[in-house]
Amino acid sequence: MKELIISELKKNLDLSEEQLSNLIEVPPTKDLGDYAFPCFPLAKTLKKSPNEIALDLAKKIKSDHFERVEARGPYVNFFIDRKTLAKETLGKILKEKQNYGRKKINKKVLIEFPSPNTNKPLHIGHGRNIILSQAISNIMEYQGNKVIKVNLNNDRGIHICKSMLAYKKFGKNSTPQKSKIKSDHFVGDFYVKFAEELKKDPELEKEAQEYLKKWENNDKEIVSLWKKMNFWALSGFKQTYKKLNLKFKKEYLESEIYEKGREIILEGLKKGVFQKKQDGSISVNLEKDGLGEKILLRADGTSIYITQDLALAFQKQKDFSPDESIVVTAQEQNHHFKVLFKVLELLNSKLKNQKHYSYGMVNLESGRMKSREGTVVDLDEIIKELEDLSLAEIEKRFSKLSKKEKKERAEAIALSALKYYFLRIDHTKDITFKPEESISFEGNTGSYLLYTYARAQSVLKKSGKKIELKNISFLNEIEKSIILQLSLFPEVVEEAYLSLSPNIISNYAYSISQKFNEFYHSIQVIGSENENLRLVMVKAFAIVLKQSLLLLDIKVLEKM
């Protein structure tokens, strides 16, 4: 419907479609119309007051698409004709279906996530990373971009050596199979064990540093142990990724690229971009950029995160030549990536649009999580807990289902609960995760949205009729409100894309589901005089809600 307003305004104003689109607003109350156009920006050019401009425009716009157009102070308010609204919006949704709101931007975007360390299993923080990354990938693809998903496995460094050393000292040649523990959890247990034993014997820290030096010097025994534990960690990750339906175009290993990073730094040192300190370490001074001094290579020659990140940036460009490259990590890494991108700039790299997409921390009700203390909630465990909670709800509500159906629905509901809980909140904000709250079938939850979608499908199935738009006789206020909100879906997706904010789509999905449930409880559909139009509305709603959920990477259920 916004396009109709833009078309009418263009006849009277020398502004582009994009300029007009950016100015048009949705008023806060119904008495101010369905859309409003502010005239403040035109005052200087037209040399009139905004109120005068609004009056002139309102008089000039004559169209059957609007019930009325009126000036209210500096605004032109548009009241959409109900039949036009229904015909244009519902007709478009039924015709375009899963393509409703799509665009063809045709840009190649590379997104790197979740970049785990191979000394512990994926935790709930990684869960937020993956869920956000999947959602923004879906949104970018929906707008016509080609998205390339890659992952970096941080499989070398002091943290890896701590797990290795603990296994060597206390593992007694055990294996995940013998212990009947998922392989990445098995490795993580030794990282926690190291922290526990360090309190008794501080010398373990030096031993871990020696392990790192030996690994970088290709010590056969250390490398053999590293390969074994690395395999366990990566195998466990793959099982979790499969659960989340996550596939990568390519997975990088820090162990295979960090030496290239060292070469880049040494070359930068020769060119005078970096400096060698008295202790032998190599640094870069970024104080004039407000970023301080950053060590790039340790005094003993061993690498740190930025060493391999420099190499990876060049490698990703070489492998895929993306128009834009995004790295997704927690906000704790904000400074790191500012430094990284500045260093790349100093090296005169020609890398395109390097971006860091960060998100807030995930906390428990008991406080902040800490890996080395074993207080982290593992992603596998939280998914299992949510599945158990979902199954308990299903047992209460749908006891006649088969055991297989209950299990499948519990898994779908659990993942929808987890994903939606994270995606409904602005990604920059911290979250305190509450499993019981996330799984509720009432309120602003993934379960509520799945239930609403299944309810719409039930109405359509019960009608048993072919759904097609025919004559439109009348729309009441609830019907108009729903259709108007359905018409906003393309704008909602575009806004979510431009800001990479999945919570915009989450909030939209919840809002329109609330309106649909109000409609469902207060208005008869099947057997009513307006049955045809109302069935079309139900179908259009189901299409839009399904697309909203798929953008959030949430699988819908046709039946609950």
Side-chain angles (χ1 to χ4, degrees):
M1 298 312 297
K2 199 174 179 181
E3 291 86 351
L4 296 176
I5 297 171
I6 291 171
S7 176
E8 290 299 323
L9 288 171
K10 269 186 69 67
K11 295 175 184 177
N12 298 284
L13 296 172
D14 187 22
L15 293 175
S16 69
E17 289 187 9
E18 184 178 359
Q19 288 173 315
L20 291 169
S21 179
N22 290 335
L23 288 171
I24 294 170
E25 302 173 2
V26 176
T29 58
K30 292 178 182 178
D31 63 305
L32 295 176
D34 301 312
Y35 289 93
F37 180 75
C39 297
F40 304 104
L42 307 175
K44 188 175 181 180
T45 305
L46 299 179
K47 296 180 180 179
K48 291 182 181 180
S49 72
N51 290 32
E52 288 180 287
I53 297 168
L55 280 169
D56 290 344
L57 272 176
K59 290 175 184 177
K60 290 177 182 177
I61 297 172
K62 308 292 182 184
S63 172
D64 293 338
H65 296 319
F66 310 115
E67 289 178 357
R68 65 185 189 277
V69 178
E70 60 185 33
R72 292 273 190 99
Y75 287 88
V76 180
N77 295 334
F78 296 83
F79 295 80
I80 306 293
D81 175 72
R82 298 187 184 205
K83 289 185 180 180
T84 301
L85 172 66
K87 183 179 178 182
E88 294 292 328
T89 301
L90 299 178
K92 192 175 180 68
I93 295 171
L94 291 191
K95 180 182 178 182
E96 297 181 1
K97 298 182 178 66
Q98 71 272 18
N99 293 317
Y100 180 54
R102 283 187 189 269
K103 287 194 173 182
K104 295 180 180 179
I105 293 175
N106 200 27
K107 186 169 67 173
K108 191 193 293 184
V109 182
L110 183 145
I111 178 167
E112 176 199 324
F113 69 102
S115 305
N117 297 329
T118 58
N119 65 320
K120 55 192 176 186
L122 300 166
H123 55 64
I124 197 168
H126 290 117
R128 189 177 192 187
N129 182 307
I130 292 168
I131 288 163
L132 277 167
S133 299
Q134 288 277 68
I136 63 174
S137 295
N138 293 343
I139 292 167
M140 287 189 286
E141 285 180 339
Y142 205 77
Q143 293 293 279
N145 298 285
K146 179 182 179 183
V147 178
I148 302 162
K149 299 175 188 176
V150 301
N151 183 25
L152 168 69
N153 290 294
N154 296 291
D155 65 339
R156 60 157 297 284
I158 189 64
H159 47 291
I160 308 299
C161 291
K162 289 177 179 179
S163 290
M164 291 164 55
L165 179 59
Y167 177 78
K168 183 71 174 176
K169 284 182 172 290
F170 313 109
K172 299 178 182 178
N173 293 318
S174 183
T175 66
Q177 292 78 12
K178 289 178 184 177
S179 303
K180 295 182 180 179
I181 299 173
K182 188 167 176 279
S183 56
D184 51 336
H185 291 252
F186 181 82
V187 173
D189 288 344
F190 286 100
Y191 184 62
V192 174
K193 180 69 174 174
F194 178 90
E196 292 171 351
E197 296 297 328
L198 185 64
K199 294 174 184 176
K200 307 173 191 174
D201 181 8
E203 291 298 310
L204 285 176
E205 192 72 45
K206 292 180 182 178
E207 288 188 58
Q209 288 287 351
E210 284 301 313
Y211 259 49
L212 180 58
K213 290 178 186 177
K214 288 180 179 180
W215 183 88
E216 293 202 5
N217 289 322
N218 207 29
D219 180 279
K220 287 185 179 180
E221 183 181 348
I222 297 297
V223 169
S224 176
L225 174 60
W226 168 78
K227 285 181 178 178
K228 177 163 61 176
M229 296 188 74
N230 213 35
F231 173 77
W232 288 337
L234 294 174
S235 297
F237 294 167
K238 285 180 181 177
Q239 292 177 48
T240 307
Y241 295 150
K242 185 177 181 181
K243 187 90 174 177
L244 295 167
N245 194 31
L246 174 57
K247 295 179 182 178
F248 298 105
K249 181 70 174 177
K250 184 168 184 176
E251 291 202 60
Y252 295 96
L253 296 173
E254 183 183 349
S255 59
E256 294 178 354
I257 60 174
Y258 81 100
E259 288 186 337
K260 180 63 179 174
R262 184 185 290 165
E263 291 170 16
I264 291 169
I265 291 168
L266 293 175
E267 186 64 27
L269 180 65
K270 285 181 185 178
K271 293 178 179 179
V273 178
F274 310 136
Q275 300 82 41
K276 195 163 195 172
K277 296 173 71 69
Q278 286 188 342
D279 65 358
S281 62
I282 297 175
S283 69
V284 61
N285 189 335
L286 300 175
E287 289 182 5
K288 65 178 183 181
D289 300 294
L291 297 172
E293 183 183 50
K294 174 66 179 178
I295 299 296
L296 303 176
L297 206 60
R298 291 191 186 98
D300 61 7
T302 56
S303 305
I304 54 179
Y305 277 126
I306 199 165
T307 314
Q308 56 89 16
D309 279 345
L310 286 167
L312 182 59
F314 286 99
Q315 192 62 49
K316 289 187 294 188
Q317 183 67 28
K318 180 182 177 182
D319 291 343
F320 300 106
S321 299
D323 298 306
E324 187 176 312
S325 185
I326 302 171
V327 182
V328 182
T329 74
Q331 287 175 347
E332 289 179 321
Q333 298 295 318
N334 284 355
H335 180 76
H336 171 84
F337 281 96
K338 285 178 183 177
V339 171
L340 174 65
F341 297 154
K342 189 63 188 178
V343 171
L344 289 169
E345 185 183 316
L346 291 174
L347 290 170
N348 293 316
S349 73
K350 296 180 181 179
L351 306 182
K352 298 178 184 177
N353 294 328
Q354 301 288 307
K355 294 183 180 179
H356 177 221
Y357 182 90
S358 64
Y359 55 90
M361 300 300 293
V362 181
N363 298 314
L364 305 174
E365 290 183 271
S366 57
R368 190 171 177 179
M369 301 181 292
K370 296 178 182 178
S371 297
R372 64 178 62 89
E373 294 180 12
T375 60
V376 163
V377 174
D378 295 324
L379 183 55
D380 295 319
E381 292 174 3
I382 200 65
I383 291 174
K384 178 66 169 63
E385 182 181 348
L386 290 172
E387 286 176 350
D388 290 343
L389 288 169
S390 299
L391 191 58
E393 282 294 321
I394 290 169
E395 291 283 4
K396 286 191 292 185
R397 294 168 180 264
F398 315 105
S399 58
K400 293 181 180 179
L401 293 174
S402 69
K403 189 175 180 180
K404 181 182 178 183
E405 285 178 313
K406 288 176 184 175
K407 184 176 183 298
E408 289 174 352
R409 291 188 194 185
E411 289 175 353
I413 291 168
L415 289 177
S416 77
L418 181 64
K419 292 177 181 181
Y420 188 78
Y421 197 91
F422 286 148
L423 296 175
R424 69 181 186 176
I425 297 171
D426 185 320
H427 65 93
T428 62
K429 295 180 179 179
D430 291 350
I431 289 178
T432 299
F433 185 69
K434 302 175 182 178
E436 291 82 4
E437 181 181 298
S438 75
I439 209 70
S440 174
F441 278 67
E442 298 174 359
N444 191 7
T445 67
S447 308
Y448 171 79
L449 298 185
L450 290 186
Y451 192 76
T452 303
Y453 176 78
R455 170 174 278 170
Q457 289 300 102
S458 175
V459 172
L460 296 174
K461 185 178 180 181
K462 187 177 178 181
S463 77
K465 295 183 178 180
K466 182 179 180 181
I467 311 298
E468 55 185 358
L469 188 59
K470 297 177 183 176
N471 294 329
I472 301 167
S473 56
F474 174 76
L475 282 180
N476 63 35
E477 281 302 321
I478 294 177
E479 291 167 336
K480 181 185 177 184
S481 178
I482 291 176
I483 296 174
L484 191 60
Q485 198 152 10
L486 290 173
S487 75
L488 296 177
F489 178 71
E491 296 170 40
V492 168
V493 177
E494 183 177 28
E495 186 183 354
Y497 168 69
L498 293 174
S499 60
L500 290 186
S501 301
N503 64 295
I504 292 173
I505 293 174
S506 300
N507 295 335
Y508 172 82
Y510 178 56
S511 175
I512 201 167
S513 293
Q514 284 182 304
K515 286 188 180 296
F516 175 79
N517 281 315
E518 180 187 355
F519 164 80
Y520 178 87
H521 287 297
S522 62
I523 295 175
Q524 182 181 352
V525 176
I526 298 172
S528 67
E529 288 185 19
N530 220 5
E531 181 185 70
N532 172 255
L533 174 63
R534 290 173 181 173
L535 284 172
V536 170
M537 285 177 57
V538 174
K539 187 172 180 65
F541 163 78
I543 290 170
V544 171
L545 181 58
K546 181 177 182 178
Q547 290 309 117
S548 299
L549 292 172
L550 291 178
L551 286 171
L552 302 176
D553 208 49
I554 293 174
K555 178 184 175 183
V556 298
L557 290 171
E558 299 298 315
K559 295 189 296 183
M560 288 285 278

